[in-house]
Amino acid sequence: MTTTLNLPGGAVTLKDGPAPIASDGWNRTAFAAAHVVADPLAEADPWLDCPIDWDRTLAFREHLWSLGFGVAEAMDTAQRGMGLDWPTSLELIQRSVTLAKSGGHLIASGAGTDHISPDGADVDAVIAAYEEQCEAVEVTGSQVILMASRALVKAASGPEDYAKVYDRVLSGLEKPAILHWLGEMFDPALEGYWGSADHMEAMDTCLEIIAANADKVDGIKISLLSAEKEIDMRRRLPESVRMYTGDDFNYPDLIAGDDQGYSHALLGIFDPIAGAAARALTALGQGDMNRYGDAFGPTVPLSRHIFKAPTRFYKTGVVFMAYLNGHQDHFTMIGGQESTRSTQHLAELIRLANDAGLFPDAELAAARARPIFAARGVEA
């Protein structure tokens, strides 16, 4: 079916895309970093509190698992450190892990230092904060994703402090962790991570830390939006350590790989493009690179739009897509972050998502879009 939707810049004809289907036979490990659904009717102050609609939030994780993805829980896609506090993050992890265990699903969860202030904390305080969250995550039975720490950026005097922190924290884990190098384009407070503002110098430090703790590191997710840097780092990792691409601009080529290796995936863009990503990964597992490209290729312009600068506001596009596709009944976010993108940005998102065939029910998407644009002054 098709339906017409008036948008700034002209009407668009939305078309039904393929329905998501369960997939298997993947030869890459693929985590989707999942968003959280706010409770829009809670008696709360949106800029201060983080009320969660638990039913819808957990149902979305079931949706991702049903397609074959692992869930990366309580990450920046879930507004971690950008509206979602640590106590709520821990409850989210506990609830998700319970569901994952009952269904035999893959899950890994973020542990960081966001329950302490970045100001005034020393390196020992950062270690203690990491250890507290890692212990809480491992008690649930989840694998740890060791998130980058804003407090460590301020506390560290150089690369040696990063080595001290990671050596100590990793040594205390029960299972190997996934490290997370989140670039400053995602969080400006993380500029200079690993002790240098130069990404290549920072990479050297990170690789030294990984080599010294290889038995405690499952892999590393890097989110620098540079295919060249990811490939360079991937080729230098110990053989036992995986690269999980966090590059929402270049993921098709990085996952496909080259004659020297490939990346697994831990991506926020898998949240809104889950159906297309599942088809692509199935095709890759079958060795059908034409179908792989056909499924993934049209999603890249949308991903680059959702993650355009200021990249930290990408969560707005992710949640807007979930709303349009019926995964939640409203376009309301923790911290009021539905306001971080312009009307023109949301209109272009719809055009690009439509081009990528990401609306299984075009009529539903149009019906949900109309009141949002009407509230922003666009006549239906």
Side-chain angles (χ1 to χ4, degrees):
M1 293 181 62
T2 61
T3 188
T4 300
L5 175 66
N6 287 332
L7 294 173
V12 62
T13 299
L14 301 186
K15 60 183 183 298
D16 285 350
I21 57 173
S23 305
D24 57 18
W26 295 359
N27 55 9
R28 304 287 189 270
T29 300
F31 287 95
H35 76 283
V36 293
V37 182
D39 180 354
L41 302 180
E43 182 59 47
D45 295 308
W47 284 19
L48 303 176
D49 304 317
C50 44
I52 302 295
D53 181 336
W54 291 112
D55 289 343
R56 289 288 188 168
T57 293
L58 296 175
F60 191 78
R61 281 136 182 82
E62 295 276 23
H63 163 69
L64 293 172
W65 283 319
S66 74
L67 297 178
F69 294 98
V71 167
E73 190 54 275
M75 302 295 291
D76 51 293
T77 305
Q79 298 182 236
R80 180 73 177 272
M82 305 170 197
L84 188 71
D85 60 24
W86 166 238
T88 312
S89 297
L90 180 56
E91 182 176 359
L92 174 62
I93 292 166
Q94 292 166 337
R95 287 173 180 258
S96 292
V97 171
T98 297
L99 274 182
K101 287 179 177 178
S102 67
H105 304 306
L106 183 63
I107 189 168
S109 306
T113 66
D114 50 319
H115 62 295
I116 65 170
S117 172
D119 299 316
D122 60 16
V123 169
D124 289 336
V126 172
I127 290 173
Y130 263 134
E131 290 180 330
E132 179 181 341
Q133 290 201 15
C134 286
E135 180 180 1
V137 170
E138 289 203 316
V139 163
T140 70
S142 175
Q143 181 182 19
V144 166
I145 302 172
L146 206 58
M147 302 176 69
S149 166
R150 294 172 179 171
L152 181 53
V153 174
K154 291 197 171 186
S157 58
E160 65 281 356
D161 283 333
Y162 285 85
K164 176 182 178 180
V165 170
Y166 278 83
D167 289 349
R168 170 70 176 273
V169 174
L170 287 169
S171 70
L173 295 179
E174 296 179 1
K175 300 176 182 178
I178 299 172
L179 306 188
H180 186 193
W181 181 2
L182 189 68
E184 63 275 7
M185 64 290 295
F186 287 88
D187 185 347
L190 295 175
E191 185 172 7
Y193 211 75
W194 306 113
S196 176
D198 182 304
H199 286 164
M200 301 312 293
E201 290 182 6
M203 187 183 298
D204 290 340
T205 298
C206 182
L207 285 164
E208 290 172 4
I209 291 171
I210 291 172
N213 299 278
D215 61 330
K216 290 290 190 176
V217 180
D218 165 33
I220 181 168
K221 162 188 163 72
I222 68 169
S223 302
L224 300 179
L225 302 182
S226 167
E228 294 76 17
K229 291 173 184 176
E230 179 173 321
I231 291 169
D232 182 58
M233 188 173 191
R234 186 174 75 196
R235 292 174 177 171
R236 297 168 65 192
L237 287 172
E239 187 175 349
S240 63
V241 177
R242 307 184 200 195
M243 172 61 74
Y244 290 92
T245 187
D247 189 330
D248 301 279
F249 283 7
N250 304 293
Y251 50 93
D253 290 341
L254 291 165
I255 294 170
D258 54 32
D259 58 359
Q260 297 186 55
Y262 56 81
S263 297
H264 298 274
L266 197 165
L267 286 164
I269 194 57
F270 281 174
D271 181 309
I273 70 163
R279 290 192 297 277
L281 291 167
T282 297
L284 181 63
Q286 296 170 348
D288 190 334
M289 299 310 294
N290 288 329
R291 280 199 300 123
Y292 177 80
D294 289 345
F296 254 157
T299 69
V300 173
L302 171 68
S303 188
R304 287 175 175 253
H305 180 69
I306 288 176
F307 284 83
K308 70 183 295 186
T311 303
R312 64 187 183 276
F313 295 146
Y314 77 88
K315 278 78 72 175
T316 301
V318 168
V319 174
F320 191 49
M321 283 292 294
Y323 164 69
L324 294 174
N325 279 325
H327 294 292
Q328 55 195 79
D329 296 328
H330 57 85
F331 180 40
T332 304
M333 297 175 64
I334 292 171
Q337 286 201 30
E338 67 274 10
S339 66
T340 65
R341 292 298 200 186
S342 70
T343 303
Q344 294 285 354
H345 180 93
L346 298 181
E348 183 63 11
L349 182 152
I350 287 178
R351 292 189 180 95
L352 293 171
N354 188 51
D355 290 343
L358 296 178
F359 297 132
D361 187 334
E363 187 174 356
L364 173 67
R368 285 175 167 246
R370 288 187 185 105
I372 300 300
F373 285 98
R376 292 178 174 226
V378 180
E379 294 184 3

